[in-house]
Amino acid sequence: MKVTAIKGFSDIFPGEVETWQWVEEQARRVFAAYNFAEIRIPVLEKTELFSRSIGETTDIVEKEMYTFEDRDRRSTETTEATKLTLRPEGTAGVVRAYVESEMYKVEPVRKLYYMGPMFRRERPQKGRMRQFHQIGAEALGRGDPFIDAEILLLLSDFLGALGLTEPSLQINSLGCAECRPQYRETLLTFLRQRRESLCDNCQRRIERNPLRALDCKEPGCIHATKEAPAIIDSLCAVCREHFATVQRLLSETQVRFALNPRMVRGLDYYCRTTFEWTSDQLGSQSAVAAGGRYDGLVEALGGPPIPGVGFAMGVERLTMLLRMKDSGAPRGPSVYVVWIGEKAREWAFPAVHRLRREGLTVEMEGETRSMKSQMRRADKLGAQAVLIVGDDELQKGHALLRDMASKQQEAIALAEIVAKLTARKAS
Ligand code: ATP
Ligand code: MG
């Protein structure tokens, strides 16, 4: 019997993985330019890390986490502490690591990024997986609006580096501990009057977390909350000023954005600036990247009151967009070596080795085959050039180099092959 992969978990095969590597390379390059350093955190954490940070009444914590009991728990430990969860997102783990290692004692301002798999038990569909991948960044230790804008510029530069100009930016402010409670009351009054139109899930949690109703994707809830009071109308003076500066900085740096007063994000830890980059080309799973400010999170996880701002983007959705525009497409080997006859094979084997050591991607035919079928294979692999050697050519001291795009063919002296092909690669 065949053993299959788990629903919502997928393999990333050669052919596709090159696009992933390219996306990761561009991310590393742009992160480095903004002075972000990589942090690698565990995939598994204590469940309470997520329930305390993301929030008990969020979709993620209520129903999407992969949680299990660790086997060798000691009887003295409480049940909660023995439960482990596959990380559904990266921010909680990064902040846990920052607090636990007391990184802030050396230097409170830390700019960190991560990449890797996340796990959420959602209904799998296009652009929505149970194991998916995020690239994310967190800037800890700065509460000023300039760093919010810096993060958005970084994202804008990154999407630009991928050649993705279509995703658009929406921003909102969620206020702070000063002004959000009052907004919460205003919203709650509004929602109570429309209770019957809300989905069961929202009805159940409006008293504890009314903002969730604005993030709900049920058509009934979207309709019922159309006229809901907007949080930006309830901001305190400090939050208003912060948000105005973020907008000014974005305008000055030519980053286009739209205000979306309904955007509250699915995680409870956000405050002030929140944002989402979305693409119309992705259907209903339109969010490519999302994030915001989370000033209370470090303290909630046992650290000092240190502010933070960050984002995460979905690599599956990014590569889907790249596939649609067919850029960053994987390329075949730079040279495919076609050989005819055993002597040619004996010559080709060490020659291929030398070329590979020069950094060229080289493949050679593995079996005795006709020239025609070897050429067909080179074509199928997308080789940029084919080097043809036969016993005849060997005797004459040269090989034929065929450019697969221009179909031009030239004879090259055997002694000059390495130099010629490396020069070709560099040009
Ligand atoms: P959505 O509204 O699509 O559910 P989200 O608000 O839950 O997204 P975040 O938690 O902010 O998403 O995660 C940041 C990014 O990670 C998203 O913008 C998206 O690109 C990606 N992402 C989130 N969940 C999934 C998933 N189940 N499968 C694939 N990508 C995902
Ligand atoms: Mg979600």
Side-chain angles (χ1 to χ4, degrees), residues 60 64 88-89 120 122-123 125 127-134 215 217 265-267 270 276-277 282 284-291 311-318:
I60 296 179
E64 296 173 357
E89 56 102 50
R120 295 183 196 174
E122 306 193 68
R123 192 168 66 79
Q125 49 195 300
R128 195 174 292 290
M129 309 285 303
R130 289 181 168 178
Q131 173 176 316
F132 61 100
H133 296 75
Q134 285 185 338
D215 193 45
K217 290 174 179 105
R265 312 279 310 113
L267 299 84
Y270 287 114
E276 241 175 60
W277 291 81
L282 289 172
S284 47
Q285 274 57 255
S286 61
V288 184
F311 70 86
M313 44 199 176
V315 185
E316 280 79 2
R317 295 185 195 176
L318 285 170

Side-chain angles (χ1 to χ4, degrees), residues 221-236:
C221 296
I222 293 175
H223 186 74
T225 58
K226 256 212 169 86
E227 305 288 308
I231 191 158
I232 35 179
D233 297 331
S234 313
L235 298 181
C236 63

Side-chain angles (χ1 to χ4, degrees), residues 133-158:
H133 296 75
Q134 285 185 338
I135 299 178
E138 317 293 348
L140 293 152
R142 279 182 59 185
D144 61 277
F146 285 79
I147 190 73
D148 300 16
E150 184 177 316
I151 288 260
L152 288 165
L153 281 179
L154 184 162
L155 264 165
S156 167
D157 285 356
F158 171 73

Side-chain angles (χ1 to χ4, degrees), residues 41-337:
I41 49 167
V43 166
L44 203 57
E45 299 270 5
K46 291 179 184 159
T47 304
E48 61 181 325
L49 173 67
F50 303 114
S51 47
R52 266 169 52 191
S53 58
I54 299 170
E56 294 279 3
T57 48
T58 56
D59 282 347
I60 296 179
V61 172
E62 277 185 346
K63 51 186 194 204
E64 296 173 357
M65 297 202 304
Y66 283 97
T67 296
F68 57 93
E69 286 283 337
D70 198 4
R71 227 179 273 191
D72 54 28
R73 70 179 153 164
R74 280 175 282 133
S75 53
T76 49
E77 283 175 332
T78 66
T79 345
E80 180 69 356
T82 60
K83 277 205 212 136
L84 303 179
T85 295
L86 281 170
R87 62 180 187 194
E89 56 102 50
T91 305
V94 171
V95 172
R96 193 239 348 108
Y98 174 81
V99 171
E100 193 176 354
S101 65
E102 300 187 325
M103 273 170 114
Y104 52 84
K105 285 197 175 156
V106 187
E107 169 54 56
V109 180
R110 294 309 285 256
K111 302 204 281 192
L112 303 166
Y113 78 88
Y114 59 86
M115 20 182 105
M118 305 293 160
F119 306 85
R120 295 183 196 174
R121 204 171 188 294
E122 306 193 68
R123 192 168 66 79
Q125 49 195 300
K126 186 174 158 246
R128 195 174 292 290
M129 309 285 303
R130 289 181 168 178
Q131 173 176 316
F132 61 100
H133 296 75
Q134 285 185 338
I135 299 178
E138 317 293 348
L140 293 152
R142 279 182 59 185
D144 61 277
F146 285 79
I147 190 73
D148 300 16
E150 184 177 316
I151 288 260
L152 288 165
L153 281 179
L154 184 162
L155 264 165
S156 167
D157 285 356
F158 171 73
L159 293 170
L162 296 187
L164 297 174
T165 47
E166 183 267 342
S168 61
L169 171 64
Q170 297 186 357
I171 59 173
N172 192 20
S173 173
L174 291 185
C176 64
E178 289 297 314
C179 52
R180 186 138 35 132
Q182 209 203 321
Y183 171 71
R184 192 182 174 281
E185 284 312 307
T186 316
L187 180 65
L188 192 53
T189 312
F190 174 91
L191 292 173
R192 279 191 190 126
Q193 288 157 4
R194 287 155 186 84
R195 208 187 172 95
E196 304 309 310
S197 327
L198 301 175
C199 72
D200 292 348
N201 212 8
C202 285
Q203 287 197 23
R204 184 176 49 78
R205 63 189 179 190
I206 53 169
E207 300 294 329
R208 282 176 68 197
N209 197 343
L211 268 73
R212 286 277 70 79
L214 297 179
D215 193 45
C216 182
K217 290 174 179 105
E218 292 291 326
C221 296
I222 293 175
H223 186 74
T225 58
K226 256 212 169 86
E227 305 288 308
I231 191 158
I232 35 179
D233 297 331
S234 313
L235 298 181
C236 63
V238 187
C239 285
R240 240 190 344 253
E241 164 92 37
H242 184 105
F243 196 42
T245 307
V246 173
Q247 293 179 62
R248 176 173 61 76
L249 294 171
L250 291 177
S251 301
E252 281 172 10
T253 46
Q254 277 90 47
V255 176
R256 287 170 48 171
F257 63 90
L259 292 182
N260 178 357
R262 288 183 58 93
M263 189 178 60
V264 296
R265 312 279 310 113
L267 299 84
D268 279 355
Y269 52 59
Y270 287 114
C271 65
R272 291 207 172 140
T273 320
T274 52
F275 53 85
E276 241 175 60
W277 291 81
T278 57
S279 165
D280 291 339
Q281 299 173 356
L282 289 172
S284 47
Q285 274 57 255
S286 61
V288 184
R293 177 160 282 288
Y294 46 83
D295 291 348
L297 185 60
V298 176
E299 201 173 8
L301 293 177
I306 289 176
V309 54
F311 70 86
M313 44 199 176
V315 185
E316 280 79 2
R317 295 185 195 176
L318 285 170
T319 54
M320 260 165 75
L321 287 175
L322 288 171
R323 261 201 310 283
M324 283 180 217
K325 69 187 276 297
D326 200 31
S327 77
R331 296 172 68 179
S334 34
V335 187
Y336 192 86
V337 177

